[in-house]
Amino acid sequence: MTLQPGVLAVKYRKYIYLVLAIVAAAISAGGVFLYLLDLEARTKLDMEYTDVLVARTTIPANEKIEGDMLEVIEIPLAYAHKEAGQSKEGFVGSIARTTIYEGEQVLPGKIVVPGDTADDFLYTLKTGKRALAIAVSEVSGVGGLLAPGNHVDVIATWEVTSEYYTKIIIQNVKVLAINRNYDPLKFKEVTEQANTVTLEVLPEVAPQLALAAQRGTIHLMLRPSGDDRIIPATPWHFGNF
């Protein structure tokens, strides 16, 4: 059966309209897409960005922070914490005070630098050092004039076959704590007599100090602020006097 031209035009007209509608929708969608791209580009130009330091991986509390645990990224200034670090400097080698989660901005309050804070006694110790407490009296403890943060020399006196020897065995060691107090600011309010002094010492000299405290007597000498000189230490015994 042969269709007349008018019938064919009616039959295919709806398909033509459909194609035209699809083309129009595509053009419209493309226009919206181009508009959004242009809007995004203009927004980026108008928006201020800044560098922030973030954790590349989750860092557990009390973990030493290594360089590969951190990275610097660029984010909109509006989303950057005002205290966030902007470089790794000052953060690598520190210790995480609390857990820092992956992608989290790293803040100074989240880390501690060993030896630079009295917020927690654990963090007052420098890397490679140990805390060792010795018993003191008012006399051996410099008359109660010591405070956390001071530096002292340690004199040991001991007896060998009825002769007495004395020697400066350790020099320029830091006082970490007096009794249980390790905060220099709060210590100013304390009036109790010192019974123990905790010193920051190297592991290799700790046994020497412990033995001297156990087998002899210990006296501390307060050093002037800023004086870090090490002098020759010669033993003295009763025959020298």
Side-chain angles (χ1 to χ4, degrees):
M1 183 178 64
T2 303
L3 297 176
Q4 297 298 321
V7 175
L8 286 173
V10 171
K11 180 177 180 181
Y12 291 107
R13 185 179 302 164
K14 61 181 180 179
Y15 296 109
I16 294 172
Y17 288 156
L18 178 60
V19 171
L20 292 175
I22 292 173
V23 171
I27 293 173
S28 176
V32 171
F33 178 71
L34 292 175
Y35 170 77
L36 292 176
L37 286 179
D38 179 66
L39 181 62
E40 181 182 8
R42 284 189 283 110
T43 301
K44 285 185 176 180
L45 289 175
D46 295 338
M47 187 177 294
E48 190 175 354
Y49 280 70
T50 187
D51 290 338
V52 294
L53 186 66
V54 300
R56 292 184 61 189
T57 184
T58 297
I59 305 172
N62 297 323
E63 184 87 2
K64 184 177 179 180
I65 298 177
E66 305 291 349
D68 58 359
M69 297 178 179
L70 306 172
E71 65 178 340
V72 177
I73 63 173
E74 188 179 55
I75 65 172
L77 182 61
Y79 299 114
H81 194 287
K82 63 181 181 180
E83 296 182 359
Q86 294 184 302
S87 71
K88 296 181 181 182
E89 185 178 356
F91 291 87
V92 174
S94 64
I95 298 173
R97 186 190 299 273
T98 60
T99 299
I100 304 175
Y101 295 95
E102 181 179 352
E104 181 181 349
Q105 297 179 39
V106 184
L107 312 180
K110 288 277 188 176
I111 61 104
V112 290
V113 178
D116 289 350
T117 178
D119 289 345
D120 191 311
F121 185 69
L122 172 65
Y123 302 125
T124 65
L125 275 171
K126 290 185 178 179
T127 302
K129 297 294 185 67
R130 303 292 186 267
L132 181 64
I134 59 173
V136 296
S137 64
E138 182 176 2
V139 174
S140 64
V142 197
L145 299 177
L146 290 178
N150 290 162
H151 283 72
V152 296
D153 296 337
V154 181
I155 300 177
T157 302
W158 65 98
E159 179 185 1
V160 179
T161 60
S162 301
E163 290 195 10
Y164 290 89
Y165 293 81
T166 186
K167 180 184 178 182
I168 301 175
I169 59 171
I170 307 175
Q171 299 183 48
N172 195 31
V173 293
K174 183 180 179 181
V175 176
L176 295 176
I178 307 293
N179 293 341
R180 296 177 61 85
N181 196 303
Y182 53 86
D183 188 329
L185 296 179
K186 293 180 180 179
F187 182 76
K188 294 179 180 179
E189 306 170 2
V190 177
T191 58
E192 62 179 320
Q193 170 63 41
N195 297 313
T196 60
V197 172
T198 302
L199 303 176
E200 182 183 65
V201 298
L202 291 167
E204 54 266 32
V205 301
Q208 181 181 2
L209 177 57
L211 179 62
Q214 178 70 29
R215 304 298 297 178
T217 58
I218 293 292
H219 285 78
L220 304 179
M221 293 193 301
L222 180 61
R223 296 178 68 98
S225 178
D227 183 359
D228 56 1
R229 294 173 300 168
I230 303 299
I231 63 174
T234 303
W236 285 80
H237 68 282
F238 184 79
N240 291 120
F241 293 97

